Amino acid sequence: MPSYPHTRLHVGPSSSVVVSGPYIQLVNNASGAITAIADESTTTKSGPIRCSAVDTKWKWVVAAGDDKKLRVWDINDNLKMVSERELPKKPTEIRITQDSETILVSDKFGDVFRYPMIPSTEQESAARPQVTGRGALTSHENLAGGSLVLGHASLLTSFLLSDDEKFIITADRDEHIRVSWYPQGYVIEQYCLGHTKFVSAIHIPSFSPHSLISGGGDPYLQCWNWTTGKKISSIPILDAVLPFITVKPPKGRAWSNGDEEEGGGAEKPGRRKGKGKKGKGKEKAGGSGDAAEPAQDEGAESSEVADAASAGIKDGEAKQSLEDVIMAEEGRSEQEVSRTQEEQDPTLVVNRIETVQLSDESRWIVFSAIGATALFYTRHPVDEFAESSTIYSLDFEKPVIDFISWEAGNFLVHVDSEWTDSTAETQGRTEFARSASWSQTESGWKLSEESNKSPLINSLNSACLKSATPAELKVADIYAHLASMPKNVDPEHDPIVRDDLATLDPSELTEDAVEGKGKLTQRELARLKNKRALVESIKGKEVGKSATPEVVEEGRESKKAKSDEEVEVAMNKS
């Protein structure tokens, strides 16, 4: 039976906290023995844990998942749950302040809230106000007693506190990195602008507290001085990372903005979400398991139907071509869907960035990408005149889920051992936890996998494994960011890309012109069909207008003559 891969690992002085799907375990570092397990009756019902953190005093574990429950466990009391609060939106990141008294949570609505570690009775009662009227619809309403620190206009992907905790650095899916005061987040100190795609990972090196390294969907890492907002350098990474990306996002999966309510499952390729009242009815009947499709699709359809109606085409005829497209999309065979997914281009999403300073004072950047099978490392640019460094890689042959720095700058890496490549002849290694260490060679420092395994790693590969059904692994959806981070990956919905069909002169809508546009999608073919119908209707009206003036004039004269005759007859009768 398959097992949950380890999604997060927090290594402490004598023990470690292991997160695997919905499970939280406490493991002794020296012996590898499991000393405590969080209440499974609570965690398994809540679904996979998406975010977790451990305080610097190694006393509290804080975690949250798609159920939007913020839970706190006491490490010193065998992972006993001491607090449970409801979050306003689904979380994306959790941090704990250095005094272990405050929890910071970012969410998919773009906000950062702060909560006391253990709420008092007065705080819990005050956290549930009776809100009515207009106040009930407030965007930043928080029934868990959280205080709003700041907000973005887009989904927050990550955030950090400066070493002195006077500043909070936040990154979002709209290419922004913002430096704000903490806790007065409404005071914006600086912006670090230069990314052209989403920012999914940020890191402050311990050896350079005024530096910031960021990465996401762009083909490079950016190095900043976050106190001034000045970019120090860019490190190209795309060519080095792409060959190792083996997990690709399913084509047709829609992205959703903010706090989506789906369970993480991918939308079926080619299927369309119901719109209007019918769509809402389906959601109530069948749940909200599928992500909503971008609103641009509906607008495009309605505009085409409206144009057709204005040209004299019946509404049913205008919609028929689009319905044909939907039926054709839904009728695709599984083989076609599978082939479409295989042809999907790989997506770059930087997952984690770390830095290390080795014994010879050399500084290195280590990072991973979602769906890639390797760790990547390069020299840290020491100043703004540093040249671009070579990107090195350490291949684990399995997708790297996450990694952490431990034991003299070495790394503990957890991989998705259950993942298999359809083109591979053998399954490969089955370890879920691996380790990498630095070694100095004639050509310089090199990162390689360690052969000697510690008791902790042996435990991670045996006693800590929790079995999971294929359905549970699908709900875990550990590669969800490959589809949710990029926005409008379909060029048809990209407002920056010019709509070639819209720029075509109606008189040029011939078969040769259509063939010259290359391979068109079903939707584009439907739009061309509507445009041809519009052109024919317009031409018919123009021909009718040019031929009707004389006919209209003759009709008027005949009506006038008939009217005169009727008046004359009426007078004679009188």
Side-chain angles (χ1 to χ4, degrees):
M1 191 173 184
S3 301
Y4 279 111
H6 306 307
T7 51
R8 291 299 301 270
L9 179 65
H10 306 278
V11 179
S14 59
S15 59
S16 298
V17 174
V18 184
V19 178
S20 310
Y23 300 97
I24 301 178
Q25 304 173 81
L26 187 64
V27 184
N28 184 279
N29 292 343
S31 64
I34 299 175
T35 58
I37 301 177
D39 184 12
E40 295 184 6
S41 63
T42 300
T43 58
T44 54
K45 292 180 181 179
S46 303
I49 294 171
R50 303 298 183 187
C51 312
S52 62
V54 177
D55 68 316
T56 56
K57 298 179 181 178
W58 206 249
K59 184 178 181 181
W60 309 111
V61 179
V62 183
D66 289 338
D67 64 341
K68 298 189 288 188
K69 298 291 187 181
L70 181 68
R71 297 184 175 93
V72 180
W73 287 271
D74 189 346
I75 295 178
N76 298 326
D77 195 6
N78 296 322
L79 291 181
K80 177 183 177 181
M81 188 174 70
V82 296
S83 174
E84 179 181 286
R85 285 161 281 184
E86 185 173 355
L87 299 172
K89 301 294 179 180
K90 291 183 181 179
T92 58
E93 188 79 82
I94 295 176
R95 302 281 180 184
I96 302 175
T97 55
Q98 295 177 10
D99 60 4
S100 302
E101 297 295 330
T102 305
I103 306 169
L104 295 173
V105 182
S106 62
D107 60 39
K108 293 186 176 183
F109 199 72
D111 296 332
V112 175
F113 285 93
R114 60 173 180 164
Y115 304 85
M117 182 64 70
I118 304 297
S120 63
T121 306
E122 293 78 9
Q123 289 173 326
E124 287 183 337
S125 59
R128 295 173 174 80
Q130 299 296 324
V131 183
T132 58
R134 182 179 298 180
L137 303 177
T138 304
S139 300
H140 303 292
E141 180 183 357
N142 192 311
L143 300 181
S147 302
L148 180 66
V149 177
L150 58 82
H152 280 230
S154 177
L155 182 151
L156 272 179
T157 57
S158 185
F159 74 94
L160 295 170
L161 286 174
S162 60
D163 286 347
D164 57 7
E165 295 191 345
K166 292 183 178 180
F167 297 94
I168 180 171
I169 305 173
T170 49
D172 65 25
R173 196 168 55 179
D174 281 347
E175 311 98 35
H176 303 134
I177 300 175
R178 183 200 298 179
V179 181
S180 308
W181 289 13
Y182 177 80
Q184 302 88 358
Y186 50 83
V187 180
I188 299 175
E189 178 74 14
Q190 196 61 255
Y191 280 98
C192 298
L193 301 178
H195 282 280
T196 59
K197 294 184 179 180
F198 59 88
V199 183
S200 55
I202 54 177
H203 172 73
I204 296 178
S206 58
F207 52 75
S208 181
H210 290 183
S211 299
L212 177 73
I213 305 171
S214 60
D218 287 311
Y220 42 75
L221 296 180
Q222 299 274 36
C223 299
W224 313 83
N225 182 333
W226 61 264
T227 61
T228 63
K230 182 179 180 180
K231 182 170 69 175
I232 299 174
S233 65
S234 296
I235 304 175
I237 62 172
L238 184 63
D239 293 339
V241 175
L242 277 184
F244 295 95
I245 298 179
T246 56
V247 182
K248 300 178 182 179
K251 189 173 183 180
R253 173 167 180 173
W255 65 274
S256 59
N257 191 16
D259 182 47
E260 66 258 39
E261 296 299 332
E262 75 277 6
E267 184 179 359
K268 295 180 181 179
R271 297 299 301 270
R272 292 179 55 82
K273 185 76 173 177
K275 301 295 191 299
K277 295 181 179 178
K278 292 183 179 179
K280 293 181 180 178
K282 290 181 181 178
E283 288 180 2
K284 291 182 179 180
S288 54
D290 293 334
E293 193 176 36
Q296 289 91 330
D297 294 354
E298 185 180 5
E301 285 185 29
S302 60
S303 62
E304 290 166 6
V305 173
D307 291 343
S310 64
I313 302 175
K314 293 181 180 180
D315 183 71
E317 295 176 356
K319 292 182 178 179
Q320 184 62 43
S321 59
L322 295 175
E323 292 176 355
D324 293 341
V325 174
I326 297 171
M327 294 177 64
E329 292 276 344
E330 294 180 350
R332 291 189 300 172
S333 65
E334 293 183 1
Q335 291 82 358
E336 290 174 326
V337 172
S338 176
R339 183 167 56 253
T340 302
Q341 292 182 358
E342 290 176 359
E343 293 172 354
Q344 178 77 348
D345 293 334
T347 300
L348 173 62
V349 180
V350 176
N351 183 43
R352 185 171 298 279
I353 303 173
E354 295 287 345
T355 52
V356 60
Q357 183 169 321
L358 301 179
S359 57
D360 63 349
E361 301 299 321
S362 61
R363 299 172 176 181
W364 294 80
I365 300 173
V366 184
F367 65 96
S368 64
I370 296 178
T373 62
L375 276 187
F376 306 94
Y377 58 103
T378 183
R379 291 293 295 265
H380 184 279
V382 293
D383 54 46
E384 57 186 292
F385 303 104
E387 298 180 357
S388 299
S389 301
T390 303
I391 306 296
Y392 303 95
S393 60
L394 171 58
D395 189 9
F396 291 92
E397 300 177 351
K398 295 285 186 177
V400 174
I401 298 176
D402 203 358
F403 71 97
I404 61 169
S405 178
W406 75 319
E407 294 184 353
N410 297 330
F411 297 97
L412 197 154
V413 184
H414 27 115
V415 301
D416 183 8
S417 182
E418 298 292 347
W419 182 87
T420 56
D421 188 352
S422 57
T423 61
E425 297 180 358
T426 59
Q427 184 180 0
R429 298 175 59 175
T430 59
E431 298 99 329
F432 285 87
R434 317 263 280 271
S435 60
S437 61
W438 294 96
S439 59
Q440 196 164 21
T441 64
E442 294 181 357
S443 57
W445 287 99
K446 180 181 179 181
L447 199 58
S448 57
E449 187 171 359
E450 285 185 313
S451 57
N452 297 326
K453 305 300 182 183
S454 68
L456 174 60
I457 294 180
N458 289 332
S459 180
L460 292 173
N461 290 322
S462 56
C464 291
L465 297 181
K466 292 291 185 179
S467 59
T469 64
E472 289 172 333
L473 290 177
K474 184 177 181 180
V475 171
D477 201 11
I478 58 178
Y479 304 111
H481 286 334
L482 290 177
S484 63
M485 282 292 176
K487 299 196 308 179
N488 294 337
V489 293
D490 185 355
E492 187 173 341
H493 304 307
D494 190 345
I496 299 179
V497 177
R498 187 182 65 179
D499 186 355
D500 290 337
L501 298 181
T503 58
L504 269 180
D505 191 304
S507 62
E508 298 176 359
L509 289 175
T510 62
E511 294 293 337
D512 294 337
V514 173
E515 293 179 0
K517 287 294 175 184
K519 187 177 180 180
L520 299 177
T521 64
Q522 293 284 351
R523 187 179 300 280
E524 289 173 330
L525 290 174
R527 293 175 64 188
L528 280 179
K529 185 177 180 180
N530 286 340
K531 282 182 178 287
R532 288 200 189 97
L534 287 171
V535 170
E536 294 299 328
S537 176
I538 293 172
K539 286 182 178 180
K541 285 187 175 183
E542 290 177 350
V543 173
K545 288 180 180 180
S546 61
T548 53
E550 296 179 359
V551 177
V552 172
E553 189 64 28
E554 291 177 0
R556 288 177 179 174
E557 291 295 334
S558 62
K559 287 182 179 180
K560 183 178 180 181
K562 185 176 180 180
S563 179
D564 293 341
E565 291 177 358
E566 291 177 350
V567 171
E568 185 177 353
V569 171
M571 292 178 64
N572 291 335
K573 288 183 178 181
S574 61

